[in-house]
Amino acid sequence: MISFYATHQSPSLPLPPHLALYKMSHDSLPPLSESRIVLGVGGVGVDFLAAVPSYPKPDEKIRTTSLKVEGGGNTGNALTCTARLGLNTRVISKIANDTQGRAILEVLRDDGIDTSFLVVSEEGNSPFTYIIVDNETKTRTCIFTPGYPLMKPDDLSQSSLSSALDGARIVYFDVRWPETALVVAQEAARKNIPILIDSERKREGLDDLIPLADYAVCSAKFPQAWTEAASVPSALVSMLLKLPKLKFAIVTLGEDGCIMLERSVDEIPDVEEMDVDSLLGSLKQRKNDSTAIPTSVSSPVTKLRANGIGTVCGRLLVGTAEKVPPEELLDTTGAGDSFVGAVLYAICTNMPPEKMLPFAAQVVSRGSVLK
């Protein structure tokens, strides 16, 4: 769980700096279509961020350099990003009627996120996460406590589900609340509404949910963990072969940018097969490392072969991250969710992949640096 960002300072959840620093002009963004509703299904919560000089050793007692309490949750983060980019957003999740839950509800609403489908339990606790931010390595360690009681499909009536999906351009899942997520995903698929899955790690319910996905954004370790392939490019080929509905899969690599495999809708019979690992090596040689501005390079559409796995027709893209001087790096909390939010925006605006990857990297960097 990583933090989403309120538009104002409140006594319970003060304004954090990440997306608050993101000020990209809407004039510079692609025009929005009338179909601009994003439904997010998954986690919202509260983050307690303790910054320390360096990560503590076992049994060591140290002091924080700062302590912040912020809204959190992968879905809350991603929807806040998409809302600030101009999309209309709705959330399906569950919180408790406690102090933390009421604060979560407030900041979601203040960012314009429709909370009509957020279930509030009169008992239990809202989800929360302790996050240790290491000032030395600029990394963070998350200790998550789930909310209780868990969200179940019965928490969402059929009429509420229909209303939540009405007019949606895309539905996003972080694979929290797996039973409820599967019900929503099955109905979205029945209505031909595209689905994006945030594949952060192997979670309960993921194997049931991911076959319904049109798009996947993955953490660096997920593709190989899920497919048992020997390399990331081979794992992406395996994912597209295992998941015939999947249009593209993106792997985020932090400061090393990202890799994307996009499926081609048209088979090309007379094109020579290319080894996907070799192709990645050649693309990395072509990428421009001399500029701080994010860029991308793409292969032509071809037959991509992963040894021992199979062949898929498509193209491979490599995106770079924005180069941020260490002294300007604020923190990376929420960066992955900001990337997902930008991808959701790109899909809703029909942005081509070669523009989408640099755009998403810019969204992330605008929130990760202290201007």
Side-chain angles (χ1 to χ4, degrees):
M1 296 280 283
I2 41 187
S3 45
F4 68 83
Y5 306 100
T7 52
H8 75 298
Q9 288 189 306
S10 68
S12 51
L13 297 181
L15 176 67
H18 191 88
L19 281 181
L21 293 175
Y22 174 59
K23 299 287 187 184
M24 183 174 286
S25 168
H26 284 277
D27 294 337
S28 66
L29 299 177
L32 288 166
S33 64
E34 292 183 5
S35 180
R36 54 193 289 182
I37 298 172
V38 176
L39 173 64
V41 183
V44 297
V46 173
D47 288 348
F48 298 89
L49 293 96
V52 295
S54 61
Y55 194 84
K57 299 175 182 177
D59 292 327
E60 184 181 15
K61 293 183 179 180
I62 61 173
R63 295 193 178 193
T64 62
T65 58
S66 67
L67 177 66
K68 295 183 289 185
V69 183
E70 301 174 355
N74 297 101
T75 293
N77 297 342
L79 290 182
T80 295
C81 180
T82 56
R84 293 189 172 197
L85 288 169
L87 299 179
N88 297 329
T89 54
R90 301 169 180 164
V91 61
I92 292 176
S93 191
K94 188 171 185 176
I95 57 175
N97 186 19
D98 54 10
T99 301
Q100 296 172 352
R102 289 188 290 272
I104 293 165
L105 196 60
E106 179 185 358
V107 295
L108 288 171
R109 287 172 174 170
D110 285 347
D111 250 316
I113 297 170
D114 184 349
T115 61
S116 303
F117 312 102
L118 191 69
V119 177
V120 181
S121 171
E122 291 303 319
E123 300 177 345
N125 64 275
S126 298
F128 63 92
T129 303
Y130 294 116
I131 301 177
I132 302 172
V133 180
D134 186 335
N135 291 335
E136 183 179 17
T137 61
K138 305 296 183 182
T139 58
R140 82 283 187 278
T141 301
C142 302
I143 306 168
F144 174 59
T145 299
Y148 182 83
L150 300 178
M151 190 173 193
K152 298 293 184 181
D154 290 345
D155 288 327
L156 192 67
S157 68
Q158 185 59 45
S159 61
S160 292
L161 175 57
S162 296
S163 297
L165 290 169
D166 184 39
R169 171 65 175 82
I170 190 168
V171 186
Y172 158 72
F173 297 87
D174 67 7
V175 203
R176 305 283 184 185
W177 318 122
E179 294 180 17
T180 303
L182 183 59
V183 170
V184 178
Q186 289 171 335
E187 184 65 11
R190 190 183 70 82
K191 293 176 177 287
N192 294 316
I193 302 172
I195 291 170
L196 185 147
I197 302 291
D198 181 359
S199 304
E200 187 178 33
R201 60 176 62 89
K202 295 170 71 173
R203 299 186 191 275
E204 177 189 354
L206 174 70
D207 287 346
D208 295 323
L209 197 60
I210 199 167
L212 299 172
D214 298 270
Y215 313 99
V217 178
C218 312
S219 66
K221 296 180 180 179
F222 174 81
Q224 288 177 265
W226 192 69
T227 64
E228 299 183 351
S231 67
V232 170
S234 295
L236 291 177
V237 171
S238 180
M239 286 183 67
L240 264 63
L241 290 173
K242 291 174 181 288
L243 305 169
K245 190 181 177 185
L246 201 63
K247 293 181 173 68
F248 70 62
I250 301 173
V251 182
T252 58
L253 302 171
E255 64 182 12
D256 292 324
C258 62
I259 302 170
M260 174 178 176
L261 180 56
E262 180 189 35
R263 187 192 304 274
S264 174
V265 295
D266 300 316
E267 290 290 333
I268 306 177
D270 299 327
V271 175
E272 183 180 357
E273 290 184 2
M274 298 188 67
D275 178 77
V276 70
D277 290 296
S278 299
L279 180 59
L280 176 62
S282 65
L283 289 177
K284 286 183 175 180
Q285 290 179 352
R286 286 173 48 199
K287 69 178 182 177
N288 186 357
D289 289 323
S290 63
T291 177
I293 300 173
T295 60
S296 70
V297 292
S298 171
S299 74
V301 175
T302 188
K303 292 181 178 179
L304 301 168
R305 182 185 69 256
N307 292 331
I309 295 173
T311 302
V312 67
C313 188
R315 60 176 179 152
L316 194 67
L317 297 95
V318 173
T320 64
E322 186 160 335
K323 290 183 172 63
V324 179
E327 66 273 12
E328 295 182 12
L329 184 64
L330 188 60
D331 91 56
T332 59
T333 305
D337 297 328
S338 298
F339 188 95
V340 170
V343 170
L344 289 167
Y345 180 91
I347 293 170
C348 289
T349 56
N350 300 312
M351 192 183 296
E354 54 269 26
K355 292 185 178 180
M356 174 178 68
L357 299 184
F359 168 73
Q362 282 187 308
V363 170
V364 170
S365 68
R366 295 295 177 92
S368 298
V369 299
L370 182 60
K371 300 289 186 179

